[in-house]
Amino acid sequence: MNETRQRRAGGRAARQAARMQAVVESVPFLTRTLAPVEVLSEEGLSLIEENAETILERVGIEFRDAPDALQLLGDAGAEVEGERVRFPRGLARRLVQATAPREFTQIARNRDRNVVFGGQNTIFAPAYGSPFVRDLDGGRRYGTIEDFRNFVKLAYQSPWFHHSGGTVCEPVDLPVNKRHYDMVAAHLTLTDKPFMGSVTHPQRARDTVDMARIVFGADFVDENTVVFSLINANSPLVWDATMLGAARAYAEANQAVMMTPFILAGAMSPATVAATCAQTLAESVAGMAYCQLVRAGAPVVLGSFASSMSMQSGAPTFGTPEPALVLYVMAALARRLGVPFRSGGALTASKIPDAQAAYESANTMQPTMLAGVNFVLHSAGWLEGGLTMGYEKFVLDADQLGMWHAFCKGVDLSDNGQALDAFLTNEPGTHFLGHPHTLANFESAFYRSPVADNSSFEQWELEGANDAAQRANAIWKRALVEYEQPKLDESTEEELSEWIEQQKASFPDSDV
Amino acid sequence: MNETRQRRAGGRAARQAARMQAVVESVPFLTRTLAPVEVLSEEGLSLIEENAETILERVGIEFRDAPDALQLLGDAGAEVEGERVRFPRGLARRLVQATAPREFTQIARNRDRNVVFGGQNTIFAPAYGSPFVRDLDGGRRYGTIEDFRNFVKLAYQSPWFHHSGGTVCEPVDLPVNKRHYDMVAAHLTLTDKPFMGSVTHPQRARDTVDMARIVFGADFVDENTVVFSLINANSPLVWDATMLGAARAYAEANQAVMMTPFILAGAMSPATVAATCAQTLAESVAGMAYCQLVRAGAPVVLGSFASSMSMQSGAPTFGTPEPALVLYVMAALARRLGVPFRSGGALTASKIPDAQAAYESANTMQPTMLAGVNFVLHSAGWLEGGLTMGYEKFVLDADQLGMWHAFCKGVDLSDNGQALDAFLTNEPGTHFLGHPHTLANFESAFYRSPVADNSSFEQWELEGANDAAQRANAIWKRALVEYEQPKLDESTEEELSEWIEQQKASFPDSDV
């Protein structure tokens, strides 16, 4: 029985491997060939930069409950008044440009999966932060650590994710003050892709670094970036103590952070594209300047998350034209500043993986890719404005990421791509289906979607008249059955596990 | 009762008008502000042009059962051998560039709705040619003239369509040889937007022009383009007699045609992007050269319709990366040639308006808009590879067209757009919701989707947990109830109606 199982598994694995070789060119990150799309001229971009400087100079940024930030920024030449920090024109920008790396590498447990942030590179990570999960079978429910592990496994298995992400869903079944141990452990053991750390408390950030030290080695972590984390501003124009504390913990350890204003335009910024961009730039640059003062050269990423708003209900809206324009502009501003850029994703307000979800997600992912985003959080799974992580949505979105891998290769102008010989050996009116050129390109000519149904109406009806979500349901279930854990040194895994148990035992559970 | 109905209608119409004024800036066609996205360098584009010339020179194009074409092209310097026409390098291109207009105007019955083809302009038209229709209530069924009229009405009512299109669905309940009368009559009477003519027989093309003469006046039609029509190549490298006959009929009457290779790559062209582009260019340029020889200066459009193919089943696949690349390249080639360009649309292989449909449609519409397509056929309604016109899909797609109207305005850099005063009068940490700047921009700040659900999960559940298609269902039904026919001179309508009856009575029904 065991042998049979093994043989079957071997056969399946072999078939899978063969399929992968034929179709998938697995890459540690995407390298775009297309020049970024620009929606503003140099003059327009300069104007927004000047407005950001005006905001920093005349309004300033509040660094709340963060005396160290006030001290550092004051010493660097900013004008500190209470918790308000006003930056003389150009100061914050100079602080960032002086020491922040233009590109940096995050080391993965599997070194073949190291990712390089910046330039023409794009890194895909799953969605982040949902308290709920949803699948077709169980509907919407609170996320658990099992769901968390499932999404880590799914992102590990897909060749289209370069990064394991962070809080792929909230494991609500674990105490708030200890769940980071299990989340980070999942990223360190169930996958060998790079990952994101905890940011809900400075101590949890330090715990993340400690856990990375166990797996990567303490010296190695001091010299390399192995953790990447999401630090959100409290817009408008506020950085709070929790986020600054986490950012400080990571920067001190030379680990990377993305300083990201999360802006619902119209509420957390004025309701226009140009204003939202100026504010995003001001907030992020101020945050990155702080990180550079904590440790010069600590890797930082300019983050931008901007949604439009329903002016009736105040609810965030996604996939609309205005956030797409913000995204294009912010990508250009990050390039001009000279730091890697994070934005975009498969964003939607839809509760379910329907046409709204796909349209809104595509409307965000297209600018994400064409603007040249370097790190794409929320690239799969996101539903309901981020409140829900969807299993089927994850599969549907991952398929789209696969398509971007094909698109980013651009147009093949090799002799085979031009196919002149094929034309010269084929008569008008004769199909190319049986032509040697077609047969030679059969396997790799076109991206193959595992989710799309391209069969006849009759065949589709015969197979149950399923929609895309129903097909996606079968795909994630099969993937979880086929999952195999990547190798990790047994003693390391034990050491990590023991360390976590000790930490957990050392203080009581709490839900804050 | 009648009075009540009228009052209610007046109230509704007034509300609708007010809503429109507030949100919709109705435009006869879109004017893009963004420079077209280029995926190939000048050298790459030249290479593909050279390959097209090689195809035209060494393989040639067959003009089948079209002695007039062989005569005209032979006289112009092409080498004619049987039905094969080989073009000395550069000849076909020169014939097009010598006389084809770079831009032209199609006059609409309502002159405010005239559309200008070319340049930075984009014109949206509904999907074309489906034998089936689908809605949530009745499922999939053969299209009827009632369905046809419904889609003409829906496209008329929406501010996002600039063009009424042509065969919005096949009215299968009418005889094949007479249905064009009712189709063209619908476009001439139920809407006042510009429209497309019949191409299934040269006589039906002439009938279309005759009907236009009744409505626009014979002299006016001789001097102006009032009909625009779709002429498909029979790829690879064949133009057939029916299509050439229709093209000739229109070109002789100075009416516009788009010469469009319809290519399922891998079957009707080699399975690569560069080869599909070279072939599309060769076929279209040869067809346009013919039109210019029929009548120098007749308006022509370079058309491209390219899909990828499932290499397992041979079925067309949509929304994949390769056709997107073809689209970007062809748009650039049309600009270099100097004629307007048609491509793209909301294409999908999905049978229903689900996530697959939306993802595939968006993946085609994004390149459509960013590449700078001038005429977008199939911009709404298309399902199942074009076999089905969907009512709900039409509504969902139309919403996306609305978003493109907002996107194409680009970033507002006015003082109001920059909103510096708002920043200078708002404290950090204070929301902008109640700020005068937000209140002043309340109505127009963000595109408002009538289909997207942005409410809370609880509210959405309370309202029936509908998906986007279910919400779309209510929208098209309401629109048909609210439809009001645009004015048309009564005697003209009578004349048209009588002429059609005479024609129909003059020969027997037939289904070919």
Side-chain angles (χ1 to χ4, degrees), chain B residues 53 142 191 254 330 352 365 461 468:
Chain B
E53 293 295 345
Y142 277 107
T191 181
N254 201 27
M330 290 311 305
I352 50 177
M365 276 307 290
E461 270 214 318

Side-chain angles (χ1 to χ4, degrees), chain A residues 84 267 272 356 417 427 432 471, chain B residues 84 267 272 417 427 432 471:
Chain A
R84 186 82 64 94
T272 66
Q356 178 186 344
E427 295 296 295
F432 285 91
R471 291 188 296 276
Chain B
R84 187 82 64 96
T272 66
E427 294 296 295
F432 285 91
R471 291 189 296 275

Side-chain angles (χ1 to χ4, degrees), chain B residues 221-240:
Chain B
V221 171
D222 284 345
E223 283 159 26
N224 294 280
T225 296
V226 302
V227 184
F228 177 55
S229 300
L230 170 60
I231 308 294
N232 278 329
N234 201 344
S235 305
L237 306 178
V238 175
W239 288 100
D240 71 26

Side-chain angles (χ1 to χ4, degrees), chain A residues 128-313:
Chain A
Y128 184 106
S130 304
F132 299 101
V133 298
R134 167 183 280 278
D135 62 38
L136 283 187
D137 309 283
R140 182 189 192 251
R141 59 186 192 278
Y142 276 107
T144 65
I145 190 66
E146 191 190 342
D147 292 309
F148 188 100
R149 290 175 183 141
N150 284 344
F151 283 111
V152 170
K153 291 174 182 176
L154 292 171
Y156 166 68
Q157 283 168 287
S158 165
W160 312 131
F161 294 91
H162 315 111
H163 206 279
S164 192
T167 308
V168 290
C169 67
E170 279 288 344
V172 174
D173 53 340
L174 300 182
V176 168
N177 66 338
K178 294 184 182 172
R179 59 176 70 147
H180 65 289
Y181 294 119
D182 295 276
M183 293 197 275
V184 174
H187 286 304
L188 284 170
T189 60
L190 301 178
T191 182
D192 60 7
K193 296 183 179 181
F195 74 103
M196 295 169 71
S198 178
V199 295
T200 53
H201 191 284
Q203 183 54 46
R204 295 171 200 158
R206 287 189 287 271
D207 286 342
T208 302
V209 176
D210 283 342
M211 291 168 75
R213 285 181 176 132
I214 293 171
V215 172
F216 287 89
D219 291 347
F220 188 86
V221 171
D222 284 345
E223 284 158 24
N224 295 280
T225 296
V226 303
V227 184
F228 177 56
S229 300
L230 169 60
I231 308 293
N232 278 331
N234 201 342
S235 304
L237 306 178
V238 175
W239 287 100
D240 71 27
T242 301
M243 286 285 144
L244 289 172
R248 177 173 196 112
Y250 285 120
E252 279 175 343
N254 201 28
Q255 303 305 304
V257 289
M258 44 185 167
M259 303 304 279
T260 304
F262 179 103
I263 293 184
L264 175 52
M268 291 144 82
S269 73
T272 66
V273 171
T276 301
C277 291
Q279 181 182 324
T280 299
L281 182 62
E283 291 175 349
S284 186
V285 166
M288 291 189 286
Y290 165 68
C291 295
Q292 293 308 304
L293 293 172
V294 168
R295 177 165 171 164
V300 289
V301 170
L302 191 159
S304 169
F305 182 103
S307 85
S308 48
M309 187 175 72
S310 159
M311 288 304 219
Q312 284 87 2
S313 68

Side-chain angles (χ1 to χ4, degrees), chain A residues 361-411:
Chain A
S361 296
N363 287 351
T364 312
M365 277 306 290
Q366 288 271 352
T368 298
M369 295 309 297
L370 296 179
V373 172
N374 297 121
F375 184 79
V376 188
L377 197 60
H378 312 310
S379 68
W382 166 292
L383 283 172
E384 207 189 310
L387 282 178
T388 295
M389 181 72 164
Y391 278 86
E392 288 80 18
K393 179 69 163 29
F394 188 89
V395 170
L396 291 162
D397 293 343
D399 183 31
Q400 297 297 313
L401 302 183
M403 295 196 199
W404 284 113
H405 281 75
F407 182 86
C408 284
K409 289 182 193 161
V411 180

